Amino acid sequence: MNRYANSAEAPDFDAPQIVRRTRRRRAVGIGAVVLLAAGGGTALATSVAGGSHSEASSTATKSDATTLLFDNHGVTIPMDFSRLDLVLAKQALLKTQTKLGTVTEKAVKDCKPGSVVGVDPHTPKIVKSGDSVNLTLCAS
């Protein structure tokens, strides 16, 4: 058995290369986290700073009828209800702790029956916890 002890070559490790690769991966990971944090902060600052009522009403779009602005402790969060059915819309309202008001149906061209086509109050009005939200669904 002793004659096989030194017959295999010992594995060759390039320790400096392993250390460089580890440092490079760590630096790239930290850089990615910093970029994500900076980008998220910029988006948050933009949504908070650009949330004035006159500015939002002047740039109204088609999707504003289905967008609910929720005030979460001073931070305005837009919630889009388009393409949601009644069950998913109720779940979204539960998350914001708002109450479901009246549910009406309206005949709208090119929409999925039962999907939300309007919320009231909608953008640019801001909704807080405990407020009632009325939904308008697409009639079949």
Side-chain angles (χ1 to χ4, degrees), residues 13-65:
F13 292 106
D14 187 10
Q17 176 65 25
I18 294 171
V19 170
R20 278 194 301 271
R21 184 175 34 212
T22 304
R23 287 182 182 159
R24 189 178 315 122
R25 286 181 182 169
R26 186 179 309 135
V28 168
I30 291 172
V33 168
V34 168
L35 284 176
L36 285 175
T42 304
L44 181 62
T46 303
S47 68
V48 171
S52 69
H53 294 292
S54 62
E55 185 177 317
S57 64
S58 65
T59 59
T61 62
K62 183 179 178 184
S63 66
D64 284 345

Side-chain angles (χ1 to χ4, degrees), residues 4-10:
Y4 297 110
N6 292 325
S7 64
E9 292 185 24

Side-chain angles (χ1 to χ4, degrees), residues 83-104:
R83 300 186 186 140
L84 294 181
D85 62 353
L86 184 59
V87 174
L88 292 175
K90 284 181 181 180
Q91 290 175 357
L93 291 175
L94 281 175
K95 288 181 184 178
T96 60
Q97 298 176 352
T98 54
K99 299 173 188 173
L100 178 62
T102 59
V103 177
T104 57

Side-chain angles (χ1 to χ4, degrees), residues 75 103 140:
V75 178
V103 177
S140 54

